[in-house]
Amino acid sequence: MFTVGLTPRLGPLGLVHSRNSQVLCTNHTVVAFATQSFSSPRPRSVPFRIERGALVVWGPMTDLKTTAGKIEDLDAKLAESRAPLGEGEPAARTRVTQLLDEGSFVETDALARHRSTDFGREHDRPYTDGVVTGYGSIDGRRVCVFSQDGEIFDGTMGEVYAEKLTKVYDLAIKTGVPIIGIYESTGPRVQEGIATMAGYARLMARVSQASGLIPQISVVAGNTSGIAAFAPTFADVLVVTQGTALHQAASHVAGAEPETFGGAAAHAESGTAHLVASDDKQALSLVRDVLAYLPANNRAEAPRVEAGSVADFDLNAVIPDTAAQAYDMSDVIQAVVDEGSFFELSAEAAQNILTGFAYIDGRAVGIVANQPLALAGALDSAAAEKAARFVRTCDAFNAPIVEFVDSPGFVPTPEEEKAGLLRRASKFAYAQAEASVGKLTVITRKAIGPAYVFMGAKDLGADLVYAWPTAEIAVTQASQASLAIYGSEDKEEEMDELFLHPYAAAERGLADNVIEPTATRHYLVEGLRLLERKAVAQVPKKHGTV
């Protein structure tokens, strides 16, 4: 006769009592459950399941020589894999089911367990080994996914754990589908030795191979530290949940609390995190949102949706009459893209430049824009690096790039030079020149000196350049032009009239058209339709070095 007993506290091999029964168990594996003493006939495995903290045993002892018995045994193992610690569904699995379309998740390697026998670990072998892997769908589109379980072995990664991650990456790469990683890990499983570090090396190799091939989205859903903290940052989009920490240095070594140098706010400000979420639910919702702008892989077209309406905003009145007065470039973007479709990334980092995805006439595009409200739109090293990474992401996944320009140039300070301005800004120019997707530029006001070159110049690779009549496309500001030509700033007004307008650029073909602001969306829509057919012959080389 069998009964329902409270889940036994799993400890070393031995007997524990549950109501009127006895359970023989190792750390995580119930070996037998019976009402008689174990001094009687040798105990055998029985099928069981765990429900709400209770161990449920049913049927007679399983006869593994029969098909029915083998199926019961499989069911028992799978039930244990879904709650490997016997305490209900772990958060790692819940996150996967919340992320994917209902009922679409297909798990892989659910019965994987570590092979280590050192330090008595042969008695502690939970299924999944601490990471849930598999595939499913998001809004009907196939994706691969993995979710790290911070409760099993304190979230550490062992050899089998690494093999599972490598396998799911291989599956995503072979099938050409996006991969979403949900991270919560404290680094290598020290008990398994150097094999764990080899696992991290394999993981980074796969992440690098996948970069630019399939979209990668990472979510930091729990504390992730040590070498485990590097892999999430390889992703095209990184979401960090508030209350978690992502850091390489241990807090006792760094001499500070992890939240201060590895929290969501710190990574949002530095640009490491593209998005910040208040909790798991919002983080997973953001993943679904951003995935809607990305194709399945680098050979698929950027997604298309039904063309949306346009916000009611008068672009003809957006540019102030005085150059010293700023305006919000977000208003310009919102008035041009499909209403409500602008999805900003890295909003807290380098706020003098805006990056994000949007739809224009139902086509997914990437947006790069100067923000006059911050540093008057001037570029700095952080802004250049932020924009360069985003441009390369758009180019990798076939999203046309639309740029809105209003910048007086680079920030001219010693601090910026010391921060690596030249090196970091060169990445932006390189990304612009290298990108082979359709590129359209709209100059709304200032495009002065280096800003003209870096922000989507015709000769840097832009396909179509439009200027508003308020545009000032020039080598330098009027005062500096007067100083360079006449040796004083007395001729500033004359230089203003001579150089600060869009027509010299239009005469030389550096701007394809000077357009009325309210016509901007029309020109962009038609330009995007034309650039669907764009083809560029690539120079045969291994890769660039910038």
Side-chain angles (χ1 to χ4, degrees):
M1 177 178 179
F2 301 95
T3 185
V4 175
L6 298 176
T7 304
R9 184 175 180 81
L10 303 180
L13 181 65
L15 295 178
V16 293
H17 292 271
S18 182
R19 292 188 182 174
N20 298 323
S21 303
Q22 293 174 311
V23 179
L24 177 63
C25 66
T26 61
N27 280 2
H28 290 285
T29 305
V30 175
V31 178
F33 189 104
T35 55
Q36 76 271 17
S37 168
F38 287 116
S39 60
S40 56
R42 185 178 180 179
R44 300 169 60 191
S45 296
V46 296
F48 68 94
R49 68 183 184 274
I50 297 171
E51 289 182 356
R52 298 180 182 178
L55 182 68
V56 181
V57 177
W58 69 97
M61 289 185 179
T62 303
D63 185 353
L64 296 180
K65 294 182 180 180
T66 67
T67 299
K70 292 177 180 178
I71 292 174
E72 288 179 352
D73 185 53
L74 170 63
D75 289 342
K77 286 179 166 61
L78 292 176
E80 185 180 349
S81 74
R82 289 189 284 272
L85 298 183
E87 300 170 355
E89 183 175 88
R93 186 174 296 275
T94 301
R95 290 165 183 152
V96 171
T97 55
Q98 289 178 344
L99 171 66
L100 301 178
D101 296 341
E102 186 175 358
S104 71
F105 180 52
V106 179
E107 188 170 1
T108 58
D109 292 316
L111 302 181
R113 299 194 291 181
H114 73 76
R115 300 180 286 268
S116 176
T117 58
D118 295 331
F119 310 104
R121 299 185 69 248
E122 66 271 21
H123 302 304
D124 190 5
R125 301 177 65 215
Y127 288 123
T128 74
D129 199 43
V131 62
V132 178
T133 59
Y135 59 91
S137 63
I138 293 178
D139 294 329
R141 299 172 59 197
R142 286 291 175 191
V143 298
C144 286
V145 64
F146 64 87
S147 181
Q148 297 177 334
D149 192 334
E151 297 178 0
I152 295 179
F153 301 130
D154 298 321
T156 57
M157 185 173 87
E159 185 176 17
V160 170
Y161 185 132
E163 290 171 356
K164 290 182 65 174
L165 292 181
T166 301
K167 283 179 65 178
V168 76
Y169 255 100
D170 286 341
L171 183 62
I173 290 169
K174 285 189 294 186
T175 56
V177 300
I179 186 166
I180 295 104
I182 304 173
Y183 288 85
E184 184 179 6
S185 175
T186 55
R189 199 171 296 166
V190 178
Q191 297 91 330
E192 296 190 29
I194 196 63
T196 61
M197 302 309 289
Y200 276 111
R202 287 196 302 273
L203 174 60
M204 288 192 181
R206 293 308 193 282
V207 171
S208 299
Q209 183 183 355
S211 181
L213 187 69
I214 55 175
Q216 299 180 75
I217 302 175
S218 294
V219 178
V220 177
N223 292 334
T224 304
S225 57
I227 193 170
F230 288 96
T233 65
F234 280 63
D236 303 301
V237 178
L238 172 60
V239 184
V240 178
T241 305
Q242 290 176 344
T244 67
L246 177 71
H247 55 97
Q248 185 274 328
S251 59
H252 69 276
V253 176
E257 290 299 315
E259 179 68 21
T260 63
F261 61 91
H267 288 309
E269 185 177 351
S270 70
T272 300
H274 297 88
L275 297 164
V276 171
S278 58
D279 53 26
D280 280 357
K281 183 178 180 181
Q282 186 186 21
L284 300 175
S285 177
L286 288 172
V287 171
R288 296 176 69 97
D289 290 342
V290 75
L291 193 63
Y293 295 95
L294 295 168
N297 54 63
N298 68 324
R299 308 195 74 168
E301 285 188 350
R304 293 193 187 184
V305 298
E306 186 176 345
S309 58
V310 185
D312 184 14
F313 185 81
D314 185 9
L315 286 176
N316 283 352
V318 72
I319 302 297
D321 290 332
T322 59
Q325 190 174 347
Y327 62 97
D328 191 347
M329 187 65 86
S330 294
D331 292 337
V332 176
I333 296 170
Q334 298 286 5
V336 170
V337 304
D338 294 357
E339 189 169 12
S341 72
F342 181 50
F343 189 87
E344 187 174 359
L345 298 176
S346 304
E348 298 302 317
Q351 296 181 23
N352 47 330
I353 198 159
L354 304 173
T355 56
F357 294 109
Y359 292 109
I360 295 180
D361 196 39
R363 292 172 173 80
V365 300
I367 302 290
V368 178
N370 301 120
Q371 175 55 287
L373 293 180
L375 297 179
L379 294 167
D380 59 6
S381 55
E385 201 164 58
K386 168 182 169 179
R389 177 79 184 269
F390 183 70
V391 166
R392 298 194 75 185
T393 299
C394 292
D395 186 47
F397 297 115
N398 306 316
I401 300 166
V402 179
E403 301 190 41
F404 295 91
V405 185
D406 185 355
S407 175
F410 282 95
V411 175
T413 64
E415 291 75 20
E416 271 302 305
E417 300 289 343
K418 292 177 183 178
L421 173 66
L422 299 177
R423 171 181 51 82
R424 297 165 77 181
S426 67
K427 295 179 182 180
F428 186 25
Y430 183 87
Q432 295 272 40
E434 183 187 44
S436 60
V437 293
K439 290 174 285 185
L440 302 94
T441 301
V442 179
I443 303 172
T444 61
R445 188 162 62 175
K446 293 183 182 295
I448 305 295
Y452 162 74
V453 175
F454 280 73
M455 290 297 300
K458 190 82 170 175
D459 291 301
L460 195 62
D463 299 294
L464 294 168
V465 176
Y466 303 114
W468 287 4
T470 51
E472 300 174 359
I473 306 171
V475 176
T476 187
Q477 300 279 10
S479 60
Q480 295 303 305
S482 176
L483 185 63
I485 295 172
Y486 295 105
S488 72
E489 298 182 3
D490 296 341
K491 303 288 187 178
E492 181 178 350
E493 187 174 340
E494 179 183 332
M495 296 299 100
D496 194 324
E497 294 178 1
L498 186 62
F499 293 121
L500 298 187
H501 54 73
Y503 301 107
E507 288 174 8
R508 290 164 175 78
L510 303 179
D512 294 295
N513 263 318
V514 179
I515 64 173
E516 189 176 344
T518 54
T520 302
R521 177 179 167 89
H522 167 75
Y523 278 93
L524 292 178
V525 168
E526 294 303 321
L528 289 168
R529 289 174 179 169
L530 174 66
L531 292 172
E532 287 177 0
R533 299 165 180 80
K534 180 180 177 181
V536 177
Q538 298 293 333
V539 176
K541 64 177 180 179
K542 195 170 182 180
H543 56 72
T545 61
V546 179

